[in-house]
């Protein structure tokens, strides 16, 4: 009996120790989870630019091309698409939450007309490109990949994103062409005047002995006015539960 009692004591002690170990592990896991969720006093983060140098070049060009639209940066496709089945909403959100395009072209009414990607390190993976092409085209949106060194014409990209080129687009193209022509003409004129001034000494005037000005009236007017010819002109997930188009959230 004494031997049996000893074994019972040992077994009981081992059982109590095991239960205590399990409880201790659960307590420790919950403590670590709480610490991870706790807001730090000082965030281990630094600010960074929203776009790199290549993307900024294309961004500035898009702002001129889509002058009557809004050009937004790096918006996930779950912000402007909606699942057809509420039950499958969480599944599609998990699949697409990390998919975004470099730029999204949005009309004034908030509807997206198309997206543009700027390749990182000169390329976009075939699977990534194919996913976006099929997804956006089936939603009635355009999708292009654009590089700053190989930009399409204004007419080409607007026709693809907005349809036939309207009179506003043609007028904008004509205005840009006139501005560029005037800028080039003015620059050439001022370059010729600078060359004539530096080619030799200016002749003296017979009346007062002062050198006569080699600048024409047009040049004097620009000089006096100071014109610089070198100046270059979420609390709730709306993919799963849209704020204004669904009464209840998905479950």
């Amino acid at each position: 009996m004494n031997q049996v009692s000893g074994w019972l004591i040992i077994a009981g002690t081992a059982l109590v120790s095991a239960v205590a170990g399990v409880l201790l592990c659960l307590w420790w896991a919950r403590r670590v989870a709480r610490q991870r969720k706790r807001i730090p006093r000082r965030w281990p983060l630094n600010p960074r630019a929203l776009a790199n140098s290549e993307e900024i070049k294309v961004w500035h060009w898009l702002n001129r091309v889509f002058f009557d639209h809004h050009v937004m940066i790096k918006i996930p496709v779950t912000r402007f698409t909606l699942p057809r089945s509420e039950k499958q909403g969480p599944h599609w959100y998990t699949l697409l939450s990390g998919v975004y395009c470099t730029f999204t072209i949005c009309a004034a009414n908030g509807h997206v007309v198309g997206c543009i990607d700027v390749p990182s390190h000169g390329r976009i993976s075939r699977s990534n490109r194919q996913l976006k092409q099929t997804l956006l085209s089936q939603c009635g949106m355009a999708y292009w990949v654009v590089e700053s060194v190989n930009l399409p014409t204004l007419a080409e990209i607007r026709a693809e994103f907005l349809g036939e080129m309207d009179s506003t687009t043609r007028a904008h193209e004509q205005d840009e062409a006139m501005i560029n022509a005037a800028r080039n003409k003015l620059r050439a004129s001022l370059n010729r005047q600078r060359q004539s001034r530096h080619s030799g000494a200016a002749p003296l005037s017979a009346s007062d002995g002062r050198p006569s000005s080699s600048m024409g009236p047009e040049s004097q007017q620009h000089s006096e006015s100071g014109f610089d010819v070198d100046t270059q002109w979420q609390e709730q997930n709306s993919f799963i539960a849209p704020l204004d188009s669904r009464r209840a959230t998905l479950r």
Side-chain angles (χ1 to χ4, degrees), residues 28 30 136 150 247:
W28 181 258
R30 291 178 181 177
L136 295 174
N150 188 24
R247 296 181 179 178

Side-chain angles (χ1 to χ4, degrees), residues 231-243:
T231 302
Q232 299 293 329
W233 297 43
Q234 123 186 151
E235 285 292 328
Q236 186 178 6
N237 193 309
S238 60
F239 177 79
I240 298 178
L243 300 181

Side-chain angles (χ1 to χ4, degrees), residues 133-154:
Q133 281 180 332
T134 56
L135 170 64
L136 295 174
S137 64
Q138 291 177 15
C139 292
M141 304 172 189
Y143 174 74
W144 271 23
V145 177
V146 173
E147 296 177 304
S148 64
V149 295
N150 188 24
L151 297 172
T153 65
L154 182 148

Side-chain angles (χ1 to χ4, degrees), residues 175-195:
D175 290 343
E176 280 201 344
M178 293 175 61
I179 292 172
N180 290 333
R183 183 193 303 146
N184 294 334
K185 183 177 180 181
L186 178 60
R187 184 178 289 111
S189 175
L190 293 179
N191 286 338
R192 287 196 301 269
Q193 292 171 5
R194 290 194 189 100
Q195 291 175 1

Side-chain angles (χ1 to χ4, degrees), residues 186 189-190 193-194 197 213-229:
L186 178 60
S189 175
L190 293 179
Q193 292 171 5
R194 290 194 189 100
R197 285 200 303 270
S213 174
S214 61
M215 298 177 61
E218 181 182 359
S219 301
Q220 291 178 356
Q221 180 180 0
H222 287 293
S223 177
E224 293 171 358
S225 62
F227 182 79
D228 184 5
V229 292

Side-chain angles (χ1 to χ4, degrees), residues 53-114:
S53 57
E54 173 72 6
E55 293 168 346
I56 288 176
K57 294 177 184 177
V58 179
W59 187 18
H60 291 168
W61 175 76
L62 287 173
N63 281 315
R64 295 193 299 269
V65 171
F66 293 100
F67 52 90
D68 49 353
H69 286 69
H70 302 284
V71 182
M72 298 179 292
I73 302 181
K74 299 180 180 178
I75 297 178
V77 297
T78 53
R79 292 298 303 168
F80 53 86
T81 57
L82 192 65
R84 296 175 182 175
S85 172
E86 295 184 2
K87 295 180 180 180
Q88 293 184 348
H91 166 71
W92 294 121
Y93 177 77
T94 302
L95 182 65
L96 299 174
S97 59
V99 178
Y100 67 90
C101 296
T102 310
F103 300 108
T104 301
I105 311 302
C106 179
N109 59 4
H111 290 280
V112 171
V113 299

